[in-house]
Amino acid sequence: NAGVTQTPKFQVLKTGQSMTLQCAQDMNHNSMYWYRQDPGMGLRLIYYSASEGTTDKGEVPNGYNVSRLNKREFSLRLESAAPSQTSVYFCASNGGGHDTEAFFGQGTRLTVV
Amino acid sequence: AQSVTQPDIHITVSEGASLELRCNYSYGATPYLFWYVQSPGQGLQLLLKYFSGDTLVQGIKGFEAEFKRSQSSFNLRKPSVHWSDAAEYFCAVGLAGGFKTIFGAGTRLFVKA
């Protein structure tokens, strides 16, 4: 039972490079989320997808784009990485809405130099 | 604006001692409240949640939390801490009518022998 799978687990980028973080869930969840975690700031929502075919901005969307490829997969793209995007990124999913438990992937530790 | 405050950045307790982690929220409506735990290098796992009803909720791993509307608090407790409880703990509020969950900055728990 895989749950939420993120790839890669670690990545180092040079400023200006692009990359895509992949996320897949096998729980048939409607909603998926991308968060970033920075020391002392908790988790901040970057983008979310309430259901297949929809995406919306969260608290800190600048510098990111997302694609809900199908019900299982939700990717996060950094078009031109900046040092300020150095962070740990988490993908999460749930059945939909604010009142259901979110299941998290193990995270991607991204360093931009 | 909605917010979640965890006043303690880190707490150290002795193994076998009791634990209380504080959480205060700011939200106009009845909140949906969660506590998550994050072990090193892992994603977040739900400990417990409160939606309505009994204000004392039981969770996994022997944790409980009490919702106090008058104090806008949702403190997490455990009567006897085990070394394996060392982790970071996040309080979160689900916002009604949407898909956004706000996380506190986290409290890191250290357990000493």
Side-chain angles (χ1 to χ4, degrees), chain B residues 6-77:
Chain B
Q6 294 181 246
D8 304 304
I9 297 173
H10 55 80
I11 282 182
T12 301
V13 300
S14 297
E15 191 169 18
S18 63
L19 171 70
E20 182 169 33
L21 302 182
R22 296 182 291 164
C23 173
N24 293 96
Y25 65 90
S26 173
Y27 184 51
T30 300
Y32 295 79
L33 296 161
F34 306 83
W35 274 100
Y36 287 86
V37 60
Q38 183 182 30
S39 298
Q42 302 295 312
L44 280 70
Q45 178 187 19
L46 181 72
L47 280 177
L48 48 78
K49 59 188 178 185
Y50 170 78
F51 294 158
S52 63
D54 193 347
T55 57
L56 184 64
V57 293
Q58 302 296 321
I60 62 171
K61 305 185 180 186
F63 286 91
E64 67 178 25
E66 185 172 13
F67 170 59
K68 293 185 177 180
R69 184 186 301 276
S70 62
Q71 298 177 19
S72 297
S73 69
F74 188 57
N75 294 348
L76 181 72
R77 300 194 295 249

Side-chain angles (χ1 to χ4, degrees), chain A residues 33 37 90 97-99 106, chain B residues 32 38 42 51 90 95 99:
Chain A
Y33 309 80
Q37 181 181 26
F90 287 97
H98 57 278
D99 57 348
Q106 292 195 323
Chain B
Y32 295 79
Q38 183 182 30
Q42 302 295 312
F51 294 158
F90 292 92
L95 306 184
F99 291 83

